[in-house]
Amino acid sequence: MRILLVCLGNICRSPMAEGVLRQRAKERGIALATDSAGTGDYHVGEAPDPRAQAAMRKQGMEIGDLRARQFTAKDFEHFDILLAMDADNLRNMTRLAPDPTLAAKACLIMDFAPEHPLREVPDPYYGGDDGFDGVFAMLDEATNLLLDGIER
Ligand code: 4NP
């Protein structure tokens, strides 16, 4: 199974989500191909934001190997599930979908955590370091529930 994580810049939320997902899948022995992308092109080629890398390292996860790229329509064909961090990202992805069947592969990552109070992962880029820890907690919850679903 191939899963794509998508945010705006592909340097904060989605590389963190990719890092959590690949680690938790490995811990459970689930074979997954993961990638992440941004709907914007501002940071293409860059490593994740140092604050995102630090928040992940605190949890024992390394994401310094990841590099930002822009989301493309082809991603709808290549991936089985496409998970957007917020509603803007989802709208911008869906706009590029070749057809409605492919568009239906995309949803919000927090759709997998219906009991969490937030539906969207807040953009931590302009905030402080603690925003990244909050993002990590949300992503870890959604990821674990997603993997529960895959295991069933
Ligand atoms: P991300 O955060 O979408 O979680 O990677 C952002 C990173 C950069 C910008 C916006 C959001 N930016 O406008 O440069």
Side-chain angles (χ1 to χ4, degrees):
M1 185 176 292
R2 293 195 271 260
I3 301 181
L4 182 69
L5 296 309
V6 183
C7 63
L8 173 58
N10 194 208
I11 54 166
C12 298
R13 293 165 293 176
S14 62
M16 288 179 71
E18 182 180 359
V20 177
L21 181 59
R22 72 180 177 184
Q23 174 66 24
R24 297 298 182 222
K26 190 172 159 200
E27 288 165 4
R28 293 182 189 223
I30 298 172
L32 280 187
T34 58
D35 194 11
S36 63
T39 55
D41 65 357
Y42 327 102
H43 297 280
V44 169
E46 292 179 22
D49 187 287
R51 296 166 297 171
Q53 294 194 48
M56 293 295 289
R57 207 169 287 128
K58 268 199 260 179
Q59 307 290 338
M61 300 181 205
E62 189 51 58
I63 56 169
D65 57 303
L66 302 179
R67 293 295 177 270
R69 72 167 176 91
Q70 190 170 21
F71 180 82
T72 77
K74 277 202 175 11
D75 288 318
F76 276 106
E77 277 143 39
H78 185 71
F79 292 93
D80 300 300
I81 308 176
L82 298 86
L83 299 172
M85 298 299 127
D86 66 39
D88 271 347
N89 308 149
L90 184 57
R91 215 167 8 250
N92 287 324
M93 291 158 69
T94 305
R95 197 180 296 158
L96 296 177
D99 65 57
T101 307
L102 290 171
K105 292 179 175 182
C107 65
L108 294 174
I109 191 167
M110 294 310 290
D111 286 350
F112 286 92
E115 289 176 14
H116 193 284
L118 297 183
R119 309 289 10 109
E120 302 182 272
V121 182
D123 186 346
Y125 187 65
Y126 296 104
D129 289 356
D130 54 343
F132 287 81
D133 296 331
V135 165
F136 176 86
M138 290 182 79
L139 295 174
D140 202 25
E141 180 175 336
T143 295
N144 280 314
L145 291 163
L146 166 66
L147 291 170
D148 288 347
I150 291 172
E151 276 182 336
R152 271 197 301 272

